[in-house]
Amino acid sequence: MLLSGCSGRHNWLSSAGEEAQTIEPLFWTVVAGAALIWTLVVGAAVFAHRAEAKPHREQQARRFIIWGGAVLPTVVVGALLIWGLFILRDLVADEGDLTVRVDGERWWWRVIYETPEGEVFTANEIRMPLGKTTLFRLTADDVIHSFWVPAMGGKMDMIPGRETKLTLTPTKLGSWGGLCAEYCGGAHALMRFDAVVMEPEAFDAWLQNESSPARITEGDPGWEVFLDEGCGACHTLRGTEAVGQVGPDLTHLASRERLGAGIYDMTPENMARWITDLDAMKPDIDMPAYPYLSGDRLDALVSFLMSLK
Ligand code: CUA
């Protein structure tokens, strides 16, 4: 079980970010210290069990308890706390090359890039330029969540009515796994996202595309189904009459790597199942399933959604 966190896209030992590299020595020091103390305690227990019982002087026993039981733990824990606070200071810097607001919802992520030209809304995927520091301003809608990209750095709670901050500075290209690390109800385990690290030029082009309105062909039969079924009451397609805020912004849905808040690959098959058989795909979420959609109407809706790039 312990080793399951040591490989793949959630590998917190891969040091894909400067912040993860800052935390790593603290982790190994705690592991080494804990191993040493465990050895000493078990050694003492074995020794006590085997040694011949002899009376102790009370003064000697008291001195051992005060130094070993009070002074030593206070010094060790105090030193770790101070070290940890210094590390925390680096992780919650007030400035970054780029600011992204992330709002934890049940059970997905509202993502807002702050650019000089204005806010760019997206959801369930975070893209970052390599080597630049991204400042995350985090909050939550109604319950506490926790924002965590294990490969890149520490996790940070997202608290309703408050803003917390976290910086991430990616050092490796790739798509890394992110997840909610605070139990937040039914679909907590399915509240994930992708953290994609790109070359700065590619990132700029991506952000430019994200900021543009949805590309819709008038008369597209899938667009008609989208409107008929009332999808726009909950979802936004920027530049159109679909302006719902309850669910994720879908303006460039198909440019994301995954569907359903980081849990399924973005394929037409998964999209069709998502619409018709949602209870099996992600139980407990607010979105209703549309099991009666089939045939041409379903195909049209799926190909419309898959065209939103
Ligand atoms: Cu959100 Cu757990």
Side-chain angles (χ1 to χ4, degrees), residues 13-299:
L13 291 173
S14 63
S15 293
E18 282 177 15
E19 289 76 8
Q21 284 158 19
T22 314
I23 297 171
E24 213 173 316
L26 177 63
F27 170 77
W28 286 117
T29 305
V30 170
V31 170
L36 179 68
I37 290 170
W38 183 85
T39 309
L40 288 175
V41 170
V42 171
V46 170
F47 176 76
H49 185 67
R50 298 230 171 135
E52 213 176 302
K54 271 190 301 192
H56 293 274
R57 273 194 289 135
E58 195 159 314
Q59 196 195 2
Q60 205 181 10
R62 189 175 301 142
R63 204 184 299 149
F64 183 72
I65 289 169
I66 289 173
W67 283 96
V71 177
L72 181 69
T74 308
V75 169
V76 170
V77 174
L80 289 174
L81 175 69
I82 291 167
W83 190 8
L85 288 175
F86 269 101
I87 290 178
L88 191 66
R89 200 184 51 176
D90 291 339
L91 301 184
V92 294
D94 268 332
E95 276 179 28
D97 301 308
L98 168 77
T99 301
V100 182
R101 301 207 314 269
V102 185
D103 189 1
E105 307 275 340
R106 283 185 301 162
W107 290 272
W108 59 281
W109 315 81
R110 196 187 294 277
V111 179
I112 304 159
Y113 281 77
E114 293 183 351
T115 72
E117 291 79 40
E119 295 175 331
V120 178
F121 283 74
T122 175
N124 299 334
E125 186 180 87
I126 282 153
R127 297 201 176 221
M128 285 172 275
L130 181 70
K132 300 265 172 72
T133 298
T134 303
L135 169 66
F136 290 94
R137 291 168 52 200
L138 308 168
T139 189
D141 185 39
D142 50 9
V143 298
I144 297 178
H145 304 271
S146 184
F147 178 91
W148 193 24
V149 187
M152 268 180 232
K155 61 188 168 203
M156 184 58 72
D157 278 359
M158 309 172 93
I159 303 163
R162 259 182 72 176
E163 185 181 271
T164 49
K165 288 177 182 160
L166 179 76
T167 54
L168 294 177
T169 313
T171 53
K172 286 182 192 169
L173 290 174
S175 173
W176 305 93
L179 45 98
C180 177
E182 179 75 39
Y183 181 71
C184 53
H188 156 75
L190 301 175
M191 185 172 172
R192 292 165 176 264
F193 62 95
D194 292 299
V196 183
V197 181
M198 309 171 85
E199 294 287 2
E201 304 80 54
F203 171 80
D204 290 342
W206 170 82
L207 189 57
Q208 184 65 39
N209 182 61
E210 284 293 308
S211 68
S212 62
R215 292 181 194 95
I216 288 171
T217 324
E218 274 314 317
D220 182 327
W223 172 226
E224 307 290 336
V225 178
F226 187 93
L227 291 175
D228 275 359
E229 298 295 337
C231 307
C234 293
H235 296 286
T236 292
L237 290 177
R238 264 174 285 131
T240 75
E241 60 204 89
V243 291
Q245 298 279 320
V246 179
D249 184 297
L250 302 182
T251 306
H252 299 288
L253 169 69
S255 69
R256 293 173 202 154
E257 291 188 346
R258 253 170 275 266
L259 177 66
I263 53 175
Y264 295 102
D265 288 341
M266 186 65 76
T267 63
E269 295 74 33
N270 285 338
M271 185 69 81
R273 271 188 67 207
W274 183 262
I275 295 165
T276 54
D277 195 14
L278 192 56
D279 291 339
M281 299 284 274
K282 189 165 176 175
D284 289 339
I285 67 173
D286 285 342
M287 178 168 156
Y290 295 80
Y292 54 85
L293 274 180
S294 62
D296 289 348
R297 277 172 71 79
L298 179 63
D299 291 346

